[in-house]
Amino acid sequence: YIFVRLSNSLAGQNSINISYLPLNDERFRGQMFRNINRGTISFSSNTWDAFSFGGSLEIGRDINRSANPVLGKGYSISGNATIKPTPRFRLTFNYNYSTLSEIDGSETFYSGDIYRLNTRYHFTSKWYTRLISEYDSFNDEIQLYPLVSYKANPFTKFYMGVTSYITEFNQSGAGGFRDYR
C-alpha cells in the first residue's frame, strides 16, 4: 500500500490530519482485493486540562470480512470527548458509526453504532477503579467491564475484573435481569 498524510499541529495542542490510500491491495481468505482506496480526515483538541475532544471521518472502499468476503464502499464517523472534573476522576465518551454496502449500493453489509463510556477513578497512586460500559447496535448488546487495580511496586500489579455481555433485555424473575440481581 501507499499512504499519503498531511498533518498539522496547531496552537493549544490542536491538530488536524488528512490522509489517503491511493494504492491499497490486500489478500483476505485467499482472495486478492485491489483498489481499496480510502480517505480520512481527523482532528483533536487538548487545549484544556479538564476537557478534550476529537473526531474523524473515513470514506472509501473496504472489505466485508465475512465467510464470503466482498469489496464494498462505505464510511465511518467517530467522535470522542474526555472530561476530568478532578485530577483523580476521568470520564471518556466514544461514539462510532460504520456502514458498508456493495459497490453499486444494492445491498448493505452492515450499519451500526457503538457507544462507549470509560469511567476511571484513582483513589491513590497505587489504587484505581475503572468501569467501561458499551452499547453495540450491531449485536444489540450491552457490555460491562469493571476493573480494580493495585500497583504493589513498579514491577508488580494486581487486577481484578469481570466481563459481562447482556444481549437479551427481558427481565427474568422478581427484580431480575437475565439472572442478574
Side-chain angles (χ1 to χ4, degrees):
Y1 66 90
I2 295 176
F3 180 75
V4 180
R5 181 178 195 171
L6 174 64
S7 182
N8 193 354
S9 295
L10 308 168
Q13 294 186 21
N14 297 304
S15 67
I16 187 166
N17 299 291
I18 300 171
S19 60
Y20 183 67
L21 286 161
L23 175 65
N24 185 22
D25 299 338
E26 180 181 340
R27 182 176 304 282
F28 181 74
R29 294 198 177 204
Q31 187 175 347
M32 190 66 179
F33 293 93
R34 299 196 183 282
N35 300 319
I36 312 172
N37 310 104
R38 284 191 299 278
T40 305
I41 184 166
S42 63
F43 69 94
S44 66
S45 178
N46 295 311
T47 304
W48 306 281
D49 288 338
F51 180 68
S52 61
F53 64 95
S56 69
L57 170 65
E58 181 177 88
I59 300 173
R61 295 179 172 198
D62 207 347
I63 300 170
N64 179 26
R65 298 176 190 277
S66 62
N68 299 314
V70 178
L71 188 62
K73 67 176 182 175
Y75 63 93
S76 297
I77 298 171
S78 66
N80 63 73
T82 299
I83 300 170
K84 293 186 240 174
T86 70
R88 293 179 180 215
F89 184 53
R90 180 175 70 194
L91 294 164
T92 302
F93 178 74
N94 294 291
Y95 171 75
N96 293 288
Y97 173 79
S98 294
T99 185
L100 188 69
S101 303
E102 283 190 302
I103 296 292
D104 65 6
S106 62
E107 179 186 349
T108 299
F109 300 126
Y110 59 81
S111 179
D113 310 276
I114 297 177
Y115 300 86
R116 183 179 181 108
L117 178 63
N118 183 336
T119 307
R120 185 179 291 230
Y121 186 81
H122 288 262
F123 296 100
T124 67
S125 61
K126 294 185 177 203
W127 283 98
Y128 80 85
T129 185
R130 180 198 74 197
L131 174 64
I132 298 175
S133 314
E134 182 175 286
Y135 173 69
D136 176 355
S137 75
F138 292 97
N139 300 313
D140 194 28
E141 75 182 5
I142 295 174
Q143 301 170 9
L144 301 172
Y145 309 98
L147 179 75
V148 175
S149 173
Y150 175 70
K151 182 177 177 181
N153 60 53
F155 304 103
T156 306
K157 292 182 181 180
F158 296 95
Y159 298 99
M160 183 173 64
V162 174
T163 300
S164 177
Y165 296 94
I166 304 171
T167 57
E168 294 178 16
F169 300 104
N170 298 323
Q171 287 191 354
S172 62
F177 181 80
R178 272 201 80 205
D179 298 322
Y180 291 96
R181 289 183 174 72

